[in-house]
Amino acid sequence: MELDEGKQKFIQSWGTLGSNWGINRTMAQIHALLLICPEALSAMEIKEQLNISMGNTNMNIRSLIDWGLVYKKLKPGERKEFFVAEKDMWEVVKKIVIQRKKRELEPVIKMLDEISAVQGHCEESDEFCKVVKDIKLFSNKADSILDKLIKADSNWFMKSFINLIK
Amino acid sequence: MELDEGKQKFIQSWGTLGSNWGINRTMAQIHALLLICPEALSAMEIKEQLNISMGNTNMNIRSLIDWGLVYKKLKPGERKEFFVAEKDMWEVVKKIVIQRKKRELEPVIKMLDEISAVQGHCEESDEFCKVVKDIKLFSNKADSILDKLIKADSNWFMKSFINLIK
DNA sequence: TTTTACTTTCAAAAGTTTCTGAAAGTTACA
DNA sequence: TGTAACTTTCAGAAACTTTTGAAAGTAAAA
C-alpha cells in the first residue's frame, strides 16, 4: 500500500470514529492528520491538506486545543502558529474521558440527586425510586473509577489492567 | 418533588445522555420510560406517554430489542405486544459495549491492519507506521479488555474493579 | 502609523439525522 | 373468507449539525 492511500484511509476512519465519540468529523480528521505528521503544521497547511475552509479549520483547531488533544507550537522566526497532536494514546484517551465525564456523567449525577427527592407512596413511585437509586449507585461508582484512572499515571494503569485481564 | 416532574426530568436527561452514546434520543427516552415503569407497556401506551408518532415508536422499540435493551412480553389473552426494559444497569452497560465494540472498535482494528501494510522509506512513512503500530497495540488491548468484561459476570467485575480502585 | 500576515467570528448554506403519518402488511379470530 | 386489531415501511418534512467564506479583529514589522 502507498503511504498516501494509507494516510487517506486513516484520516477518513479516524473522522468516522470521532463522530461517534462526540468529536466532530473535521476535528477528528485534523487530529488524525497531526498524529501521523512528524512535523508541526500551520493552520494553512491543515486547511489545504484536508480541503476545508479557513473558518472550519480554525474552529476545530481551537476545540482540539480546548480538549487538550493538540498543542500550539511557535517556531522561532515564524509569525504563524504551528500545531502538534498529543501522540501518547493513553493521554488521548484520558483527555477524552475528562471531557466526556464533565459533559455527560456529571450532569447525570446532578439530575439523579435532584430527582431522588421524589416521595414514594405507590407502586409507580417505588419503582421510580428504586431505578433512580440503582443508577445513582452505578454512576457514582463509574465517576470514582474514572477519577482514579485519570489521576493514575500511564504505567500504573497499564500494569494493573494488564495484570487484571491476563 | 412530584413523581411526574421527576419522571419527565429523568426521561429528558436519559434522552440527552443516549444521544451522546450512539443511541438516538427517542430510543433512549423509550428506554427511560420502560426503566421506571413497574409494568410492561404496549407500543400505543409508549407513543402516547412520549407524544411521538407510531412510526418513530415502532422503529425505536425494534432498535432497542436489537440492542438487547428491551424485551418483548406477551400477556395471556392480549393480542398486542408489551415491552419491558432490561433493568440491571451492569447488563445495560454490557449490551451497549457489545454493540459499540462491534460497530466501532472492530472496523478500526480492520482498517489498522490494512494500512499497516504501508512500506516505510522516509521520515513521513516511518512516523505513520509508528503511530499506526501504537494505535493497533492500544486497540487490541482495549478489544481484549472489553471481551473479558463482557464475558465476566456482574459480581466478578464489580468485585475486582472495586478492589482495584480502592 | 500603515501595511501585511495572520486569526477569529458569524450568518447563511449545505449536509445529515430523525420524525411523521398515511399506506401496506400481517395475524388472529368470527 | 372477511374483518378488525395491530405492526411495519417509507418518502417527504422538520429539526439539528456542520461548513463556508466574507468581514472584522489583532498584532508584528516596515
Side-chain angles (χ1 to χ4, degrees):
Chain A
M1 184 179 291
E2 289 303 314
L3 176 60
D4 270 358
E5 196 194 341
K7 271 172 74 173
Q8 286 317 311
K9 275 202 183 172
F10 180 72
I11 291 169
Q12 294 313 313
S13 307
W14 207 246
T16 306
L17 184 66
S19 60
N20 293 322
W21 278 88
I23 290 166
N24 96 26
R25 208 170 51 96
T26 307
M27 193 171 155
Q29 287 182 344
I30 295 175
H31 186 237
L33 177 63
L34 290 174
L35 266 181
I36 57 182
C37 194
E39 291 294 320
L41 295 178
S42 69
M44 196 50 72
E45 288 167 317
I46 293 170
K47 168 191 182 306
E48 269 152 22
Q49 289 221 37
L50 297 180
N51 235 297
I52 54 177
S53 72
M54 257 179 305
N56 197 11
T57 308
N58 180 70
M59 233 176 62
N60 285 296
I61 290 174
R62 297 309 133 190
S63 301
L64 283 165
I65 293 175
D66 286 348
W67 281 59
L69 295 172
V70 160
Y71 308 111
K72 215 179 264 196
K73 193 177 174 186
L74 294 167
K75 286 192 188 175
E78 294 256 28
R79 183 153 156 206
K80 63 186 156 211
E81 295 172 324
F82 290 83
F83 305 95
V84 282
E86 172 58 64
K87 298 204 180 188
D88 176 335
M89 278 306 120
W90 174 239
E91 278 302 318
V92 169
V93 169
K94 247 164 62 175
K95 302 271 164 129
I96 293 172
V97 167
I98 291 169
Q99 294 295 321
R100 302 202 73 184
K101 179 167 128 51
K102 191 166 71 194
R103 283 158 207 237
E104 294 165 37
L105 190 55
E106 287 166 16
V108 167
I109 291 176
K110 194 165 157 283
M111 176 277 289
L112 292 169
D113 281 338
E114 276 169 39
I115 66 177
S116 46
V118 166
Q119 300 293 311
H121 304 294
C122 57
E123 198 198 358
E124 215 190 337
S125 50
D126 286 351
E127 180 76 4
F128 182 82
C129 291
K130 189 173 158 292
V131 171
V132 169
K133 208 183 114 208
D134 265 20
I135 300 178
K136 244 172 93 171
L137 235 117
F138 199 90
S139 309
N140 283 325
K141 227 172 257 174
D143 195 55
S144 117
I145 290 173
L146 291 177
D147 267 345
K148 285 186 173 115
L149 286 193
I150 291 164
K151 277 167 201 148
D153 90 336
S154 177
N155 287 334
W156 174 86
F157 170 77
M158 281 309 175
K159 279 181 199 153
S160 306
F161 223 153
I162 288 165
N163 283 339
L164 177 67
I165 62 161
K166 254 185 189 157
Chain B
M1 182 177 295
E2 289 303 313
L3 176 60
D4 269 358
E5 195 193 342
K7 271 172 73 172
Q8 286 316 311
K9 274 201 182 174
F10 180 71
I11 291 170
Q12 295 313 312
S13 306
W14 207 246
T16 306
L17 184 66
S19 59
N20 293 322
W21 277 89
I23 291 165
N24 94 26
R25 209 170 51 96
T26 307
M27 191 172 156
Q29 286 181 345
I30 294 176
H31 185 238
L33 177 63
L34 291 174
L35 266 181
I36 57 182
C37 195
E39 291 294 320
L41 295 179
S42 69
M44 196 50 73
E45 289 167 317
I46 293 170
K47 167 191 182 311
E48 269 152 23
Q49 289 219 38
L50 297 180
N51 235 296
I52 54 177
S53 72
M54 256 180 305
N56 195 12
T57 309
N58 179 69
M59 233 174 60
N60 283 296
I61 291 174
R62 297 311 133 188
S63 301
L64 282 164
I65 292 175
D66 286 348
W67 282 59
L69 294 171
V70 161
Y71 309 110
K72 213 178 266 197
K73 193 177 176 185
L74 293 167
K75 287 192 189 176
E78 293 255 29
R79 182 152 157 209
K80 61 186 158 213
E81 297 172 322
F82 290 83
F83 305 97
V84 280
E86 171 58 63
K87 298 204 180 189
D88 176 336
M89 279 304 122
W90 174 238
E91 278 302 318
V92 169
V93 169
K94 248 165 59 174
K95 302 267 166 137
I96 294 173
V97 167
I98 290 169
Q99 295 295 323
R100 302 202 71 185
K101 179 167 126 52
K102 193 165 69 193
R103 283 158 208 236
E104 293 164 36
L105 190 56
E106 289 166 17
V108 166
I109 289 176
K110 194 166 156 283
M111 177 276 288
L112 292 169
D113 282 339
E114 277 168 39
I115 65 176
S116 46
V118 165
Q119 300 294 310
H121 303 294
C122 56
E123 197 199 356
E124 216 190 337
S125 50
D126 286 351
E127 181 76 4
F128 182 82
C129 292
K130 189 171 160 292
V131 170
V132 169
K133 209 183 114 206
D134 264 21
I135 300 178
K136 245 173 93 173
L137 236 119
F138 198 90
S139 309
N140 285 325
K141 225 171 258 173
D143 194 56
S144 119
I145 290 173
L146 292 176
D147 267 345
K148 285 182 173 119
L149 286 194
I150 291 164
K151 277 165 202 151
D153 92 335
S154 179
N155 288 335
W156 174 87
F157 171 77
M158 280 309 173
K159 279 179 199 154
S160 306
F161 223 151
I162 288 164
N163 283 340
L164 177 66
I165 61 160
K166 254 186 189 156

